[in-house]
Amino acid sequence: MNLRQLAASLRLSQTTVSRALNGYPEVGAATRRRVLEAARAANYQPNARARRLATGRAMTVGHVISIRQQSEMINPIFADFITGAGEVYAREGYDLVLSIVPEADEAKTFRTWAAQGSVDGVMLQAPQRQDDRIALLSELGIPFLVHGRSETGRGPDGRRDYAWLDVANADGFQAATGHLLGLGHRRIALVNGPETLDFAARRRRGFERAFEAAGLSADPTLMFQDVMTENYGYRVAVEALDKNGKTDGPPSAFLTASIMSALGVQRAVIERGLTLGRDVSLVTYDDELSYLQNQPGPGGGLRAFSAVRSSVRAAGRRCAELLLEQIATPTAEKPQELWTPQFVSGVSSGPPQA
């Protein structure tokens, strides 16, 4: 089916149908919805070259990965986010360009894209607590959306003046820590991500806030931060579990910022002949990864890991939708969404042993 046939089936002009498909604001919401539903039902795919000419857009969204974040390329969390975003880009006729550059060339890449008009928008990931990229993209005038938040880029009223979608990381980790404290654990190890990243700084804040609310203090020697790999989780768990001092013995529980590092903690626990949920408790952050599911066993019941969970693939889809909405209507108010993660119980947490 071509554009003329689709328009005839809807008894609309080709111009109206084209504008509805391309997100022009002058098309009413009801008409746009009707056109999009008909296009999906007919499996209509607009000609990409004609669409670029009609809209003046590149029909491309840019993602930049700097070499310092190269571990992201093998990170299943990044892969699931890109998969979710890619589903939306493909559905809406957009291409994804993924540029891998040295950290020093990241700003140059954004400037080149802006000068050449080679992308219509940018997805910004892994924001730092103070992130210069936000100010640069605002200056360049490219529509962009941040997956996460940063203290950078606040307006005169203190409100962030850029588009973002984030998870309530501090609240989620306060709830997870509160779960362990409520079971009776007092020596809890935090196996966090790099705390120069905003999400990890918030997770530590939630961890410490839970101790403060209980009138307790977290042990700083049991707080770790690094790239969230399985080996990192294993290494710090070995270090923590092998403590044998009278006043700074091993932790009775771990809270990890990724299911990848949780697997490393689990390996260290098993190597010592201990059982998760009985001898040592573990709560993790679960991104609901497509191919690393934290699901109940065959007979149902509890999941393997007690966890704070939120789907990173769903976040990728929603981030892409919000970014494309900005591209279609650049004068609209910048979207800002905060998702509340869910706590789920698993067999990995229980009261501490006497």
Side-chain angles (χ1 to χ4, degrees):
M1 177 178 282
N2 58 31
L3 180 66
R4 179 180 58 78
Q5 292 167 328
L6 178 63
S9 71
L10 291 165
R11 297 188 177 182
L12 295 170
S13 70
Q14 293 184 47
T15 300
T16 298
V17 172
S18 175
R19 287 180 177 274
L21 291 171
N22 290 306
Y24 281 85
E26 57 265 33
V27 178
T31 301
R32 180 181 292 106
R33 185 164 52 250
R34 181 177 162 222
V35 171
L36 292 174
E37 288 173 357
R40 279 194 289 268
N43 197 27
Y44 170 77
Q45 296 293 329
N47 180 280
R49 185 164 178 262
R51 193 172 181 184
R52 289 183 175 96
L53 290 171
T55 63
R57 297 180 192 147
M59 303 306 296
T60 302
V61 174
H63 293 236
V64 173
I65 300 298
S66 62
I67 297 298
R68 65 176 166 81
Q69 297 171 331
Q70 201 167 32
S71 59
E72 294 288 344
M73 294 304 296
I74 56 171
N75 188 331
I77 298 170
F78 174 82
D80 252 32
F81 181 89
I82 286 290
T83 300
E87 291 170 0
V88 175
Y89 297 150
R91 183 185 75 206
E92 301 299 331
Y94 277 78
D95 292 326
L96 163 66
V97 57
L98 181 62
S99 184
I100 304 172
V101 299
E103 182 179 3
D105 291 345
E106 195 170 3
K108 179 182 176 183
T109 302
F110 292 140
R111 293 185 187 280
T112 300
W113 282 350
Q116 296 178 350
S118 49
V119 301
D120 300 308
V122 171
M123 187 72 71
L124 201 61
Q125 293 174 258
Q128 306 282 316
R129 295 171 66 186
Q130 299 292 329
D131 202 314
D132 295 338
R133 298 174 299 173
I134 292 172
L136 174 60
L137 288 169
S138 298
E139 174 192 325
L140 293 173
I142 305 177
F144 70 97
L145 186 130
V146 180
H147 179 217
R149 283 175 288 174
S150 173
E151 292 304 311
T152 308
R154 290 183 180 271
D157 58 357
R159 183 177 180 272
R160 292 176 182 85
D161 57 358
Y162 55 88
W164 55 267
L165 181 146
D166 198 8
V167 172
N169 286 293
D171 291 347
F173 263 50
Q174 183 171 357
T177 309
H179 167 74
L180 291 170
L181 290 171
L183 290 171
H185 296 278
R186 295 297 179 264
R187 290 189 59 74
I188 304 172
L190 173 64
V191 186
N192 203 6
E195 291 174 6
T196 55
L197 297 175
D198 186 82
F199 83 88
R202 292 179 187 276
R203 290 180 183 180
R204 175 168 178 154
R205 195 177 308 155
F207 176 77
E208 293 175 329
R209 207 160 63 191
F211 273 90
E212 291 167 4
L216 302 168
S217 297
D219 184 347
T221 69
L222 291 178
M223 296 185 197
F224 306 92
Q225 58 169 312
D226 207 338
V227 177
M228 301 177 296
T229 63
E230 190 275 347
N231 188 60
Y232 156 60
Y234 172 76
R235 173 172 50 81
V236 299
V238 167
E239 177 184 337
L241 289 171
D242 288 350
K243 283 177 175 284
N244 56 12
K246 292 181 180 179
T247 59
D248 61 344
S252 62
F254 289 82
L255 175 57
T256 67
S258 165
I259 204 166
M260 300 302 295
S261 39
L263 292 172
V265 172
Q266 182 183 50
R267 175 159 64 104
V269 169
I270 292 172
E271 278 186 358
R272 277 147 187 78
L274 304 172
T275 301
L276 274 182
R278 185 190 69 190
D279 304 308
V280 178
S281 285
L282 170 61
V283 177
T284 189
Y285 193 93
D286 175 19
D287 288 286
E288 291 191 82
L289 300 177
S290 303
Y291 40 87
L292 189 57
Q293 294 284 311
N294 181 33
Q295 297 292 345
L302 295 175
R303 292 172 172 79
F305 294 126
S306 294
V308 180
R309 69 186 328 199
S310 179
S311 169
V312 72
R313 186 163 180 168
R317 285 194 291 265
R318 184 58 179 154
C319 282
E321 289 170 353
L322 293 174
L323 178 56
L324 295 187
E325 286 174 12
Q326 278 195 96
I327 292 169
T329 54
T331 58
E333 186 175 352
K334 295 179 176 63
Q336 300 180 346
E337 289 190 10
L338 183 64
W339 288 11
T340 301
Q342 174 191 14
F343 183 84
V344 295
S345 295
V347 298
S348 67
S349 63
Q353 295 296 301

